[in-house]
């Protein structure tokens, strides 16, 4: 099921006559590809997913594909109409159950990282390493000696429980240490 809405008086520059402004579409695996296609052809189009399932995975896939909103079919008709108006106005409508699911997903993504006890200098050196700088470049940028950088790196490796530069960089990026 899909419905397209094209409000009167809307500026249509850049759109073909048949290009929708707002689409309400039933969720399925095929519609995820359709959402991507719609957004690639008409980035300003708003797509609202309408489904009976509020799983974290489905919501995440829909949002990543470019969905502007996510509603459950159990929503009252008035709420669906409000959601269409909200999406048209630039909002991101979702039911309270879906909003809770989105917040839960973000909470899991933003789990606090372990405190490894890195000093400010060690954190800065680690950050420069993630940018691809080598020891000499780090030393030059921080106005310290090559040997001082080397000492800091050994301390970083010990604190992060890694044995290589690659291991330290991977851990820093994976755990968002700065």
């Amino acid at each position: 099921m899909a419905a397209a809405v094209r409000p009167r008086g809307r500026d249509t520059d850049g759109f073909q006559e048949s290009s929708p402004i707002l689409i309400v579409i039933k969720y399925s695996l095929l519609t995820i590809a359709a959402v991507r296609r719609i957004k690639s052809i008409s980035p300003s189009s708003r797509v609202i997913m309408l489904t009976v399932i509020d799983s974290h995975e489905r919501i995440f896939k829909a949002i990543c594909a470019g969905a502007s909103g996510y509603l459950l079919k159990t929503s009252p008709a008035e709420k669906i109409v409000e959601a269409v108006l909200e999406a048209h106005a630039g909002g991101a409508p979702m039911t309270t159950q879906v909003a809770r699911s989105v917040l839960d997903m973000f909470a899991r993504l933003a789990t606090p990282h372990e405190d490894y006890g890195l000093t400010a200098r060690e954190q800065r050196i680690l950050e420069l390493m993630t940018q691809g700088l080598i020891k000499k470049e780090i030393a030059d940028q921080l106005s310290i000696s090559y040997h001082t950088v080397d000492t800091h790196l050994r301390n970083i490796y010990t604190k992060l429980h890694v044995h290589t530069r690659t291991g330290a960089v991977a851990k820093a990026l994976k755990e968002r240490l700065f």
Side-chain angles (χ1 to χ4, degrees), residues 46-97:
R46 312 290 292 165
V47 180
I48 299 174
M49 303 302 288
L50 188 62
T51 184
V52 293
I53 301 170
D54 66 344
S55 77
H56 291 316
E57 183 181 342
R58 283 187 167 208
I59 294 167
F60 185 73
K61 284 181 180 179
I63 291 170
C64 289
S68 307
Y70 197 100
L71 301 174
L72 299 177
K73 284 184 178 180
T74 56
S75 301
E78 311 82 55
K79 292 287 186 188
I80 294 173
V81 170
E82 287 175 21
V84 167
L85 295 172
E86 182 181 340
H88 180 261
M94 57 186 77
T95 61
T96 55
Q97 299 97 318

Side-chain angles (χ1 to χ4, degrees), residues 2 8 15 21 36 50 72 86 94 108 112 142 144 156:
R8 290 190 177 124
F15 288 94
I21 298 295
R36 284 190 185 101
L50 188 62
L72 299 177
E86 182 181 340
M94 57 186 77
R108 280 198 311 271
L142 299 178
I144 58 177
I156 291 168

Side-chain angles (χ1 to χ4, degrees), residues 110-161:
T111 55
H113 60 272
E114 184 178 334
D115 182 11
Y116 294 101
L118 297 174
T119 66
R121 177 67 75 169
E122 290 166 345
Q123 287 177 353
R124 181 68 180 132
I125 289 171
L126 186 57
E127 182 179 0
L128 293 171
M129 287 172 49
T130 65
Q131 295 171 10
L133 275 66
I134 60 174
K135 292 178 192 176
K136 177 156 179 23
E137 293 170 326
I138 293 170
D140 290 344
Q141 184 156 345
L142 299 178
S143 301
I144 58 177
S145 78
Y146 174 89
H147 299 292
T148 302
V149 171
D150 195 49
T151 300
H152 283 301
L153 287 178
R154 279 187 263 125
N155 291 337
I156 291 168
Y157 296 168
T158 300
K159 291 177 180 181
L160 295 182
H161 310 289

Side-chain angles (χ1 to χ4, degrees), residues 17 62 67 121 136 166 173:
E17 190 56 39
R121 177 67 75 169
K136 177 156 179 23
T166 304
L173 294 173

